[in-house]
Amino acid sequence: MTDTASGVLGEVDGQPLTRAGLWLRRFEIGLISVIFLAVVVVGLVQIGLRNFADSSLVWADPAMRAGVLWLAMLASALAAGQARHIRIDVLSRKLPESLRPWVVRALYFATALICLALTAASINLLRLEIQINDLAFLNVPRWLVLIIIPIGFGVMGWRFMRHALGLSTSAETQS
Amino acid sequence: MLLLLLLVLALFGMPLFAVIALGAMASFHAEGLNLSLVAMEFQRIGELPVLVALPLFTFAGVLLSHSRTPERLVDFTRSLFGWMPGGLAILGLGLFALMTAFTGASGITVVALGSLMLPALLKSGYPEHFSLGLVTAGSSMGVLFAPSLPLILYAVIAQQVAPGQGIRIEELFLAGILPGLLMLLLMAGWAMFVRARLPAESRERPPMLASLRAVAWELPLPVVVLGGIYGGYLLVVEAAVVTAAWVLLSLVLIRRDIAWRRLPGIISEAMVLVGAILVVLGVSMASTNVMIDTQVPQKLFAAVEPWITSKWMFLLMVNVLLLIVGMILDIFAALVIMAPLILPIALAFGVDPVHLGIVFLANLQIGYCTPPVGINLFLASHRFNKDILVIYRSTLPFLGWLLVSLMIITWWPALSLWLPGRL
């Protein structure tokens, strides 16, 4: 039992209460869409050049891979808002009704802490990358590509913490 | 001790990426290594070329499932093959396989295609139990056919765990064809057998030309993609780009099945699916790394070696283990967690890594519809509003045939390895 399978039934549709939250979600969905469409377009241009002009863009492949990393982190942050990450959920359903919300909250709290640790670890990596200052593609330095990792884990941690504290409006924590 | 804690956390529903990340960080710490190494491993999901295919194929699958394509395909197959005994059931199986191969998630297939196939089957006179079973078990078909995401993911993991083996995605794509056809064949044979004992199918069929025109945009897609990959014209990532662009153009621009303003929502929905897989993959890169460092596979091998006398016995154990794992775990999570553990042991027993991959995925695929907790069973019960016990009973005969094909796939490596051998 995982959330990916049941989560596909509806589009991304959680309704945050605050105006700021709504705009943030729109921004995230917009950014994800723009990056995704950019990956498709760059990919098409690359195929066209390779097959018909016998040339290729050197930066296209690393740029597409960077796009995938950004998509993964942004979408995971979005998924955290709706508590839609892959998980096995066999035991919590067996818990007594009165106890279950507390166990779920405790798990979200622990998840938030783990996200925090991952944020710290990726900030360390980022520091290292800034010192090395390698280029990922074109004039884009590697650290600028990797910066999405601490941002992503940071947002995930923040959102899981909101679930833990009962501040979230997502249906998942209430049910 | 750590393992026990992780298991308890996972079983109570902590997100898997967090469980694996905790395990990885604790192990790195215990080994006296810097935690930023976890991030160093994680960022490799932005470095592996073939992962670019994942969001593209997933988007195509999600967009297709939101469009009216499944409806059009069902109409088309009814008009084309409605006359054949068992034709509708067989073509249904083929459609399921195609859909799951492209989306990589058989849950989407149950929901999008199953709910169309079920009424069509009932209308042409198939018994309810048979139809429910066919739809539920049939939706797991297709995991073994290119460009299925689980096949791609197995190749990626195998390349990480056993870099010396030179495992290529194209080999796995070829290896899956015959075993996948075997599964389809056995299930189709059963459908024909059941059908033959029933009164003739109703002759009422949609007009051929109209339904052919209706799928004019969808029909060439599998030909282009599969032909491109198997024929060597397109790299896997290129095929993924073509697929995503194709469905985007045909469904949004030309057919207008999907309004523009729904596109961002659908893209995000697909990316949430992919993001969930990639984050688990990312943290498991770190945990795999530390497992290899601390020689966990060697220790496991040493522990099981006295008990297992042959490679066949080992494969039997793998079958049992993976059927159980496949029931509780999502196929992607199961791959990411189990493949790094089992692959090195399998190599030590002399199992071919490509054959193992096919056995692996066949098992996990069957786990989707194995009672008591296979995910397809719950989705079907929910979607068709039937008691879960009815679904269990309906699926059992099909499950039997799937298990027979699993035995054949496991004990006849040549079935998987013959085609890639021609490469």
Side-chain angles (χ1 to χ4, degrees):
Chain A
M1 264 114 327
T2 64
D3 278 326
T4 41
S6 55
V8 296
L9 305 187
E11 289 174 21
V12 178
D13 60 0
Q15 285 291 324
L17 274 183
T18 61
R19 194 167 261 275
L22 193 64
W23 279 107
L24 179 63
R25 171 144 310 166
R26 278 191 188 149
F27 173 72
E28 291 179 84
I29 291 178
L31 191 58
I32 288 175
S33 305
V34 167
I35 295 175
F36 176 80
L37 292 174
V39 169
V40 175
V41 170
V42 171
L44 276 180
V45 170
Q46 183 78 335
I47 293 174
L49 285 177
R50 220 173 254 160
N51 288 304
F52 302 112
D54 219 6
S55 71
S56 66
L57 304 170
V58 188
W59 55 269
D61 291 343
M64 283 165 80
R65 294 200 289 269
V68 170
L69 179 67
W70 274 65
L71 285 173
M73 292 318 292
L74 288 169
S76 287
L78 198 61
Q82 301 160 323
R84 273 181 54 184
H85 274 274
I86 297 180
R87 55 202 170 103
I88 321 164
D89 196 359
V90 264
L91 289 187
S92 75
R93 252 171 297 179
K94 303 244 189 312
L95 289 171
E97 277 302 317
S98 54
L99 202 65
R100 203 167 69 193
W102 297 104
V103 172
V104 171
R105 282 188 177 198
L107 284 178
Y108 280 137
F109 185 73
T111 306
L113 292 184
I114 294 168
C115 288
L116 226 60
L118 287 169
T119 313
S122 39
I123 286 176
N124 276 337
L125 174 70
L126 210 62
R127 282 215 190 102
L128 205 68
E129 287 289 344
I130 291 174
Q131 279 173 16
I132 300 170
N133 205 18
D134 264 351
L135 287 182
F137 56 93
L138 292 178
N139 282 325
V140 180
R142 259 176 65 81
W143 65 263
L144 199 58
V145 171
L146 297 181
I147 200 166
I148 195 65
I149 300 178
I151 294 176
F153 279 126
V155 174
M156 281 156 82
W158 174 58
R159 287 190 167 149
F160 279 117
M161 193 60 88
R162 282 175 60 93
H163 288 308
L165 300 177
L167 296 170
S168 160
T169 51
S170 151
E172 292 267 349
T173 37
Q174 286 162 1
S175 65
Chain B
M1 189 60 213
L2 173 68
L3 219 56
L4 198 68
L5 173 73
L6 294 178
L7 196 67
V8 169
L9 287 175
L11 289 180
F12 272 105
M14 179 184 261
L16 269 181
F17 85 88
V19 177
I20 300 174
L22 181 62
M25 287 190 292
S27 315
F28 270 88
H29 185 73
E31 292 292 301
L33 296 165
N34 193 316
L35 283 191
S36 59
L37 285 171
V38 175
M40 198 93 91
E41 288 292 322
F42 182 88
Q43 58 92 29
R44 290 176 51 213
I45 60 173
E47 286 184 341
L48 297 172
V50 77
L51 290 184
V52 177
L54 256 59
L56 296 163
F57 278 131
T58 309
F59 163 75
V62 172
L63 191 71
L64 278 171
S65 71
H66 276 289
S67 75
R68 295 184 51 228
T69 298
E71 236 171 294
R72 290 194 285 259
L73 283 176
V74 171
D75 269 359
F76 175 66
T77 50
R78 277 178 59 209
S79 77
L80 201 57
F81 294 96
W83 54 269
M84 226 164 92
L88 184 65
I90 295 169
L91 266 295
L93 287 170
L95 283 184
F96 287 141
L98 209 61
M99 185 88 180
T100 303
F102 271 82
T103 57
S106 85
I108 298 184
T109 308
V110 181
V111 172
L113 205 53
S115 44
L116 290 168
M117 275 312 287
L118 188 65
L121 285 166
L122 293 175
K123 216 162 83 186
S124 44
Y126 287 91
E128 192 185 18
H129 273 197
F130 172 85
S131 310
L132 277 172
L134 182 90
V135 166
T136 312
S139 296
S140 74
M141 289 286 124
V143 167
L144 293 178
F145 295 117
S148 110
L149 263 50
L151 270 177
I152 298 177
L153 201 62
Y154 176 83
V156 169
I157 296 168
Q159 284 161 358
Q160 306 305 312
V161 179
Q165 295 288 324
I167 299 154
R168 291 169 47 213
I169 291 178
E170 287 80 5
E171 280 180 278
L172 276 159
F173 279 175
L174 284 173
I177 296 180
L178 292 180
L181 285 178
L182 173 73
M183 283 189 171
L184 274 178
L185 219 65
L186 285 177
M187 299 229 326
W190 171 245
M192 284 179 90
F193 174 75
V194 169
R195 182 63 247 184
R197 295 182 307 175
L198 296 168
E201 283 178 54
S202 81
R203 295 275 165 218
E204 178 203 337
R205 300 203 301 266
M208 174 97 69
L209 217 66
S211 54
L212 178 66
R213 213 168 20 226
V215 292
W217 279 105
E218 286 89 349
L219 224 47
L221 184 61
V223 181
V224 169
V225 172
L226 300 184
I229 294 176
Y230 286 133
Y233 306 107
L234 289 173
L235 300 172
V236 176
V237 173
E238 292 179 332
V241 171
V242 170
T243 307
W246 187 303
V247 294
L248 196 63
L249 287 179
S250 66
L251 294 176
V252 181
L253 270 181
I254 298 170
R255 279 208 195 279
R256 296 170 197 272
D257 267 11
I258 310 269
W260 272 108
R261 58 182 171 74
R262 286 182 62 201
L263 202 55
I266 291 175
I267 292 178
S268 309
E269 180 191 338
M271 291 312 112
V272 164
L273 293 177
V274 181
I277 298 169
L278 286 179
V279 169
V280 172
L281 180 67
V283 289
S284 79
M285 296 264 197
S287 68
T288 302
N289 189 299
V290 79
M291 258 170 19
I292 292 173
D293 262 10
T294 51
Q295 306 202 314
V296 172
Q298 285 90 329
K299 285 176 196 158
L300 270 179
F301 178 70
V304 296
E305 206 206 349
W307 307 93
I308 295 176
T309 46
S310 72
K311 129 176 167 183
W312 307 114
M313 195 173 157
F314 169 74
L315 282 173
L316 180 70
M317 309 276 285
V318 168
N319 277 338
V320 174
L321 179 68
L322 288 182
L323 278 179
I324 299 171
V325 169
M327 269 190 290
I328 12 184
L329 275 185
D330 174 274
I331 195 162
F332 300 108
L335 267 176
V336 159
I337 295 172
M338 300 308 292
L341 284 174
I342 292 180
L343 190 62
I345 305 178
L347 290 175
F349 276 109
V351 180
D352 186 282
V354 173
H355 178 223
L356 180 76
I358 301 302
V359 172
F360 223 97
L361 293 179
N363 265 297
L364 296 178
Q365 166 191 343
I366 296 171
Y368 272 143
C369 38
T370 309
V373 286
I375 181 79
N376 276 12
L377 301 166
F378 283 95
L379 282 175
S381 152
H382 178 77
R383 184 69 177 190
F384 308 130
N385 217 355
K386 296 283 172 209
D387 190 72
I388 188 80
L389 289 174
V390 174
I391 302 277
Y392 285 173
R393 255 206 315 278
S394 317
T395 315
L396 270 181
F398 293 96
L399 193 63
W401 289 112
L402 286 175
L403 288 174
V404 169
S405 52
L406 177 66
M407 293 296 151
I408 300 175
I409 292 168
T410 307
W411 275 294
W412 190 19
L415 186 69
S416 311
L417 299 176
W418 186 75
L419 269 181
R422 322 266 98 196
L423 210 66

